[in-house]
Amino acid sequence: MMAPIAADDIRTALDAGHLWPALQPLVHLRSGRIAGFEMLARWTCPQRGVVSPIDFIDIAERGGVLDVLLLKLLDTVAASLRHWPPELRLAINLSPCQFLDGSLLDRLAAVMHQHGLPMSRLQLEITETVLVQDHERTLQTILAARQAGASLSLDDFGTGYSSLTRLQSYPFDEIKIDASFVRTMDQNPDSFRIVLAVAGLGQSLKMHVVAEGIETAEQLRFLRQHRCDIGQGYLFDKPISGRELIDSLRRYPCRPQADQRL
């Protein structure tokens, strides 16, 4: 029987290259062109096999290694990001504690600067939970991130605690419809109504709307019809390694005859 995962196991996996960044495409639903990639952590352990992020992200945060993990994976991706077409962005996920840590933004900027990249290439994704934290601190952090050049995305919208009043108080660039609603909207009337409501809300607030978890052509047609801007899901591609990136760019070019170097 394997021992429970510990923070030191995560550090060891990072050093050994067993914990690596996967990239999932974000695709413009109207044009079919690529908008960028979301960076996701993947762990293939020689002893444990594939370890789900559900099983190690919380441990990394409690053990004080989540920032180490994020910065290490960002450094790996940024080495190739500088060769992507310049309009492509990289979305990264931040926990509420990470986002509200005043020093993390500077450390993210340092990694980007090391690779000759502006912060405008980063999209910071945070969940609704951050909106119930200290309002003034949250707002100041959002404004600081935007001033640094990064864009802001409210992830998993509809699953947390935010209200319309809170959402209107913060200058997000986009909201993401949680995959659970997209996957079940053809069977669950509540999911269907939530998807419609969030799409309409995004349009009203002049925010881009991103739909996660798109798996079928029927879902894609519906989301296009209701003016969702960007999609993500297995219909387009699974999370891929850096070696597979060029194939994804060929399938979903960001512009005609895009420069597709790595």
Side-chain angles (χ1 to χ4, degrees):
M1 183 176 179
M2 295 293 297
I5 295 170
D8 284 345
D9 297 324
I10 297 171
R11 290 183 185 274
T12 300
L14 272 173
D15 292 340
H18 298 150
L19 217 167
W20 49 276
L23 302 167
Q24 188 167 33
L26 297 154
V27 178
H28 290 291
L29 295 187
R30 291 286 175 185
S31 66
R33 292 180 183 167
I34 203 156
F37 294 87
E38 180 177 356
M39 185 179 79
L40 303 165
R42 292 294 182 264
W43 185 1
T44 305
C45 177
Q47 292 78 35
R48 303 173 189 270
V50 176
V51 184
S52 169
I54 295 174
D55 296 327
F56 68 83
I57 292 296
D58 285 347
I59 294 169
E61 184 163 21
R62 291 196 303 269
V65 296
L66 189 57
D67 286 0
V68 175
L69 170 61
L70 172 66
L71 295 169
K72 174 70 172 179
L73 298 189
L74 177 60
D75 182 60
T76 300
V77 176
S80 61
L81 175 60
R82 59 198 293 263
H83 299 300
W84 297 4
E87 58 267 47
L88 295 188
R89 60 183 177 170
L90 177 68
I92 61 173
N93 294 280
L94 303 180
S95 74
C97 289
Q98 283 182 305
F99 183 69
L100 295 174
D101 175 358
S103 67
L104 183 61
L105 193 61
D106 289 338
R107 286 181 284 160
L108 292 172
V111 173
M112 297 295 281
H113 178 74
Q114 180 182 346
H115 293 279
L117 294 164
M119 283 290 282
S120 57
R121 301 294 297 275
L122 280 187
Q123 175 114 15
L124 308 182
E125 296 194 357
I126 56 176
T127 63
E128 290 182 85
T129 310
V130 79
L131 302 189
V132 298
Q133 311 287 329
D134 182 316
H135 169 79
E136 189 60 32
R137 187 179 173 195
T138 298
L139 180 59
Q140 290 305 314
T141 305
I142 290 175
L143 293 176
R146 289 176 64 91
Q147 186 171 7
S151 54
L152 275 294
S153 175
L154 185 60
D155 198 10
D156 299 338
F157 187 77
T159 63
Y161 311 97
S162 65
S163 66
L164 294 183
T165 302
R166 285 199 184 100
L167 184 59
Q168 288 178 308
S169 301
Y170 301 106
F172 287 99
D173 298 283
E174 70 176 32
I175 51 178
K176 298 185 77 171
I177 305 173
D178 186 68
S180 63
F181 301 127
V182 173
R183 293 192 186 111
T184 60
M185 65 184 181
D186 54 346
Q187 297 102 18
N188 186 326
D190 289 338
S191 294
F192 176 82
R193 285 190 285 267
I194 288 171
V195 170
L196 285 181
V198 176
L201 179 64
Q203 293 166 31
S204 299
L205 296 177
K206 295 182 170 54
M207 297 178 185
H208 287 130
V209 178
V210 181
E212 299 180 291
I214 302 175
E215 297 178 348
T216 69
E218 289 77 15
Q219 292 168 348
L220 175 59
R221 280 193 292 270
F222 177 84
L223 293 164
R224 278 177 174 161
Q225 179 184 350
H226 292 280
R227 300 179 64 184
C228 286
D229 302 291
I230 294 171
Q232 182 178 5
Y234 276 38
L235 181 66
F236 304 114
D237 218 334
K238 66 184 187 304
I240 58 177
S241 69
R243 297 185 189 91
E244 300 167 296
L245 177 65
I246 191 69
D247 292 331
S248 191
L249 285 172
R250 286 181 179 136
R251 284 195 297 276
Y252 305 103
C254 56
R255 61 179 186 269
Q257 298 178 347
D259 177 4
Q260 295 174 350
R261 295 172 300 151
L262 282 179

